[in-house]
């Protein structure tokens, strides 16, 4: 298993991300991962807060147009995340916190699918106040999941094995 | 030996020395859980800032046009709260390792970008642009001045994130990392 992780790290791309002496390698990948987080989690949290009663006069239906931006954030992070893993496979793939984060991200994606396919397909209950129990459940779940994913991501740098990469 | 835009030995060095003697410095460096906790909070509020101010910016630029502007204003206090949280957690980092930031080109740029965001907000609210912008109904386009404010806001906040992420790569080599 460790051989496989070493081989991942030693691939040309993994080595480039980790070692290239340019801001366009590791630093830029980290930056992209942060921007993706901002748009994916940020917009989802805005929808959650609205479902829970913030800015109640704001119609929810138009937020559907922002889903492509959330998905763009997701894919930016899937790709930049894969690059970060490749660059540091022996450390990150042996860190249990990484798998906790992946669990949260998977739950977050499932929850977003629910939000889109159930709630946004039913405009009447989407805009109703007080929010339906289902809407409240999806919003609270989403907040918990994204707080969990972000926290796990941050803590990967502090808990478990360390490589010296920030 | 880089110090970025701030020369060694000036008032900023004295400021750093003063920070090093504060209780906040001790708090930030004494307990191993403080730094990661503050970082986590910093990132969560980053998401909230993008989700509120960023969504407003996107609407100003023409995304999700069916969103009426007036109620969208109610997201702004959440963005301000997120910024305050990040200012506070940011000050904890600064007090914890003053010279890592003061003599760091990326930190200096991050501060300049935040000042630019502040100027943009002053022009938007002080110049009457906000009044005309928040009167825009669902489905209508925002006046050009409002669109420019949205573009500037989106650019500078993404820039703030960029320079924030660059911090560790511009750390002066003579600074010992705080964690």
């Amino acid at each position: 298993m460790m051989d496989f992780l070493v081989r991942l790290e030693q691939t040309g791309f993994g080595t480039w991300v980790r070692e290239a002496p340019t801001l366009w390698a590791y630093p830029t990948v980290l930056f992209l991962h942060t921007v993706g987080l901002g748009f994916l989690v940020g917009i989802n949290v805005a929808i959650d807060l609205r479902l829970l009663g913030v800015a109640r006069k704001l119609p929810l239906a138009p937020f559907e147009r922002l889903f492509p931006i959330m998905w763009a954030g997701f894919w930016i992070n899937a790709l930049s995340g894969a690059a970060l893993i490749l660059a540091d496979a022996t450390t990150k793939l042996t860190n249990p916190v990484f798998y906790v984060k992946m669990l949260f991200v998977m739950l977050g994606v499932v929850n977003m699918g629910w939000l889109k396919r159930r709630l946004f397909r039913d405009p009447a209950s989407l805009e109703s106040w007080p929010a339906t129990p289902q809407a409240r459940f999806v919003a609270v779940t989403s907040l918990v999941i994204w707080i969990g994913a972000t926290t796990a991501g941050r803590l990967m740098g502090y808990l478990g094995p360390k490589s010296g990469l920030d | 030996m880089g110090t970025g835009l701030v020369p060694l030995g000036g008032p900023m060095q004295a400021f750093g020395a003063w920070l090093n003697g504060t209780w906040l410095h001790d708090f930030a460096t004494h307990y191993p859980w403080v730094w990661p906790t503050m970082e986590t909070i910093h990132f969560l509020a980053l998401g909230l800032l993008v989700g509120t101010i960023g969504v407003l910016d996107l609407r100003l630029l023409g995304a999700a046009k069916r969103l009426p502007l007036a109620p969208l204003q109610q997201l702004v206090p959440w963005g301000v709260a997120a910024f305050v949280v990040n200012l506070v957690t940011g000050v904890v980092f600064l007090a914890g390792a003053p010279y890592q930031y003061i003599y760091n080109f990326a930190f200096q740029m991050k501060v300049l970008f935040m000042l630019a965001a502040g100027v943009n907000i002053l022009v938007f609210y002080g110049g009457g642009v906000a009044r005309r912008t928040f009167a825009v109904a669902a489905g209508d386009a925002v006046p050009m001045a409002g669109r420019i404010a949205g573009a500037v806001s989106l650019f500078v906040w993404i820039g703030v994130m960029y320079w924030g992420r660059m911090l560790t790569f511009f750390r002066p080599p003579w600074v010992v990392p705080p964690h």
Side-chain angles (χ1 to χ4, degrees), chain B residues 145-172:
Chain B
R147 270 183 269 174
I148 293 171
V152 170
S153 172
L154 210 50
F155 175 78
V156 294
W157 286 117
I158 291 175
V160 168
M161 289 192 264
Y162 176 79
W163 291 115
R165 267 318 204 173
M166 292 305 125
L167 280 169
T168 47
F169 307 103
F170 284 86
R171 179 188 286 142

Side-chain angles (χ1 to χ4, degrees), chain A residues 31 34 42 46 55 151 154 158, chain B residues 35 39-40 47 51 74 78 162 165:
Chain A
F31 160 64
T34 310
T151 303
R154 222 30 345 245
Y158 294 90
Chain B
W35 207 280
E39 275 191 358
T40 302
Q74 290 166 9
W78 290 81
Y162 176 79
R165 267 318 204 173

Side-chain angles (χ1 to χ4, degrees), chain A residues 23 26-27 30-31 34 37-38 42-43 45-46 49 54-55 57-59 62-63 65 69 147 150-151 154 158 166, chain B residues 35-36 39-40 43-44 46-48 50-51 55 58 64 66-68 71-72 74 78 158 162 165-166 168-170 179:
Chain A
L23 291 180
Y26 196 80
L30 267 185
F31 160 64
T34 310
L37 157 89
I43 296 173
V45 165
L49 290 175
V54 171
K57 290 205 196 91
L58 198 59
F63 276 95
R65 290 297 190 91
I69 298 176
I147 289 172
T150 307
T151 303
R154 222 30 345 245
Y158 294 90
D166 278 298
Chain B
W35 207 280
E39 275 191 358
T40 302
F43 273 70
L44 290 170
L46 170 162
L48 185 58
V50 174
V55 164
L58 288 168
R66 278 156 53 227
L67 284 174
L72 209 47
Q74 290 166 9
W78 290 81
I158 291 175
Y162 176 79
R165 267 318 204 173
M166 292 305 125
T168 47
F169 307 103
F170 284 86
H179 53 84

Side-chain angles (χ1 to χ4, degrees), chain A residues 20-143:
Chain A
T22 162
L23 291 180
W24 294 107
Y26 196 80
T28 296
V29 177
L30 267 185
F31 160 64
L32 291 174
H33 207 66
T34 310
V35 174
L37 157 89
F39 283 96
L40 171 63
V41 174
I43 296 173
N44 206 336
V45 165
I47 294 172
D48 299 336
L49 290 175
R50 169 58 190 80
L51 283 170
L52 295 173
V54 171
R56 213 175 301 156
K57 290 205 196 91
L58 198 59
L60 265 163
F63 276 95
E64 193 164 9
R65 290 297 190 91
L66 297 179
F67 271 85
I69 298 176
M70 289 159 72
W71 284 117
F74 170 79
W75 283 109
I76 288 171
N77 276 21
L79 295 173
S80 57
L84 293 170
I85 290 299
L86 209 55
D88 200 18
T90 54
T91 302
K92 299 224 162 76
L93 290 179
T94 53
N95 190 341
V97 183
F98 169 72
Y99 297 95
V100 173
K101 176 175 172 177
M102 286 305 99
L103 182 67
F104 275 121
V105 171
M106 276 188 285
L107 291 172
V109 168
V110 170
N111 199 258
M112 257 172 77
W114 258 70
L115 186 63
K116 180 91 181 346
R117 280 193 312 275
R118 302 285 174 101
L119 294 182
F120 277 83
R121 281 290 158 272
D122 183 7
S125 72
L126 182 68
E127 308 287 357
S128 74
W129 186 260
T132 62
Q134 189 194 29
R136 273 205 302 272
F137 176 79
V138 170
V140 171
T141 311
S142 164
L143 286 174

Side-chain angles (χ1 to χ4, degrees), chain B residues 87-167:
Chain B
L87 200 60
V88 171
T89 47
V91 166
V92 175
F93 301 135
L94 181 64
Y99 298 129
Q100 157 165 281
Y101 299 106
I102 289 172
Y103 297 118
N104 186 319
F105 178 71
F107 179 73
Q108 295 154 9
M109 292 304 289
K110 184 171 179 175
V111 172
L112 288 178
F113 270 62
M114 286 191 287
L115 289 175
V119 170
N120 187 49
I121 290 166
L122 286 179
V123 172
F124 183 68
Y125 282 99
V129 183
R131 197 163 21 83
R132 283 187 290 138
T133 300
F134 287 124
V136 170
D140 289 345
V142 169
M144 183 50 80
R147 270 183 269 174
I148 293 171
V152 170
S153 172
L154 210 50
F155 175 78
V156 294
W157 286 117
I158 291 175
V160 168
M161 289 192 264
Y162 176 79
W163 291 115
R165 267 318 204 173
M166 292 305 125
L167 280 169

